Amino acid sequence: MPGFLETYKVDLADPYYGFQSWNDFFARKLKNDKVRPIAEPGDPYVICSPCDACPYFIERNPKLRDQFWIKSQPYSLQHLLNDDPLTDKYVGGTVFQAFLDTANYHRWHAPVAGTITKAYIKEGAYYAEALSVGYDPTANTYSQRYLSHVDTRAIIHIDTGKPEIGTVIFVAVGMAEISSCPLEVYYGQEVKKGDPLGTFQFGGSTYCLLFEKGVEVLFVAERTPVTEWPNYLQLVNSALGRVD
C-alpha cells in the first residue's frame, strides 16, 4: 500500500506493527488528523465524505417502496431504512452511495455536525447478490444497491438542527463476508464533522447517505463523468457536496 506508514498509526518496533488481529489491521486508525483534514469545518452546509470511497450511484426522488431486486435496483426507502417511521421525509429526497474497496480506510466519520438521534445495527444477510444482475466476477459489487436493503448495516441519524439540511442518515452496509459494522456513537451524542462514527470489519463495503425531500445537495462527484467514478476516490472528511 503506497503511503501506508505516512497514513496509518503503526508501531514499527512491534513485529506486527502494533496490530492485535486481522480486523485490528483492517480497521486501522489514521496516523493523525492532518492525514484527512476536514473540509470547511466551520461551514455546516459543506457535507464531508464519511469514508474513503468511490462514488457509485446518486438517486434523486427515491420512492417509499420499489422493486429493489430487479436489474435496475431502485432504492426502496421503507426497506433500506428498516421501516423507520420517519421514512416518508426522505421520499423524493436524495440517496448518495459510494463503494469502499478492500484496501481503503474502513472507518466512518460524521459527514455533518449535529445530534445522534438514532444509531443501531440492522441484522441482515451476507454474501447476498441480486439474481437479476447475472454473473458478477467482482464478488457482488454489481449488487450494491440491492445489498443496501438486505445486508447487515449500521443506520445512524444525525439531526443537524438546520432546516435547510435536516436530519442526514448514514447507512454503512456490510458486503460479501462482512456481517459486523461496530458503532462508536450513541443516542443523544453531539458530533462534529469528522468525528468517528464506527467501522467496517473485513472485506469490501458500501455506504448510503440520505437527505430529506427539499434538501438541495450538489455533489462534487457530479462534476466528474460517471465512467470515471470507479477510480475517483473521495477521501474521508473531504468535501462530498454542498447544500444550497
Side-chain angles (χ1 to χ4, degrees):
M1 296 181 187
F4 185 87
L5 296 180
E6 293 77 22
T7 304
Y8 299 105
K9 186 179 294 185
V10 298
D11 180 2
L12 294 177
D14 185 90
Y16 301 106
Y17 289 82
F19 300 113
Q20 303 301 308
S21 66
W22 168 253
N23 268 325
D24 190 31
F25 164 74
F26 184 76
R28 55 197 174 273
K29 295 181 178 180
L30 296 173
K31 188 172 185 177
N32 54 52
D33 293 341
K34 296 178 181 179
V35 174
R36 297 287 190 272
I38 299 167
E40 303 294 341
D43 187 344
Y45 298 98
V46 172
I47 310 300
C48 286
S49 176
C51 302
D52 274 16
C54 294
Y56 179 72
F57 201 80
I58 298 172
E59 183 167 324
R60 290 187 166 86
N61 199 32
K63 297 179 181 179
L64 177 65
R65 294 177 62 87
D66 214 330
Q67 296 175 311
F68 62 86
W69 55 88
I70 64 176
K71 190 170 184 178
S72 60
Q73 300 175 58
Y75 295 107
S76 179
L77 296 181
Q78 188 172 25
H79 297 90
L80 175 60
L81 297 178
N82 190 33
D83 291 313
D84 192 287
L86 299 178
T87 300
D88 282 344
K89 295 173 64 176
Y90 299 85
V91 175
T94 303
V95 181
F96 177 94
Q97 186 164 4
F99 171 68
L100 293 78
D101 210 345
T102 306
N104 293 147
Y105 173 64
H106 266 70
R107 290 180 174 270
W108 337 314
H109 294 249
V112 293
T115 305
I116 304 295
T117 53
K118 291 184 183 180
Y120 67 97
I121 304 296
K122 164 59 179 170
E123 299 292 343
Y126 61 100
Y127 273 121
E129 289 189 2
L131 294 177
S132 57
V133 303
Y135 173 66
D136 181 355
T138 68
N140 75 8
T141 61
Y142 295 175
S143 300
Q144 284 184 65
R145 281 176 280 162
Y146 168 79
L147 298 178
S148 302
H149 302 83
V150 301
D151 273 10
T152 295
R153 54 200 183 275
I155 301 177
I156 302 173
H157 294 223
I158 307 175
D159 182 357
T160 66
K162 295 187 175 298
E164 306 93 334
I165 308 173
T167 295
V168 177
I169 301 180
F170 171 75
V171 182
V173 184
M175 291 176 57
E177 69 276 29
I178 293 183
S179 57
S180 296
C181 306
L183 293 165
E184 296 181 5
V185 288
Y186 53 86
Y187 171 78
Q189 181 178 345
E190 298 289 332
V191 295
K192 303 184 298 296
K193 284 199 296 186
D195 281 354
L197 296 179
T199 182
F200 289 113
Q201 293 188 340
F202 175 64
S205 319
T206 189
Y207 79 81
C208 295
L209 207 57
L210 289 86
F211 297 87
E212 299 174 23
K213 182 178 181 179
V215 176
E216 300 294 332
V217 191
L218 179 62
F219 296 101
V220 174
E222 293 178 288
R223 305 172 191 164
T224 302
V226 174
T227 53
E228 297 180 16
W229 283 7
N231 299 309
Y232 178 37
L233 182 64
Q234 294 182 290
L235 299 179
V236 68
N237 295 333
S238 66
L240 187 76
R242 183 177 181 85
V243 173
D244 290 330

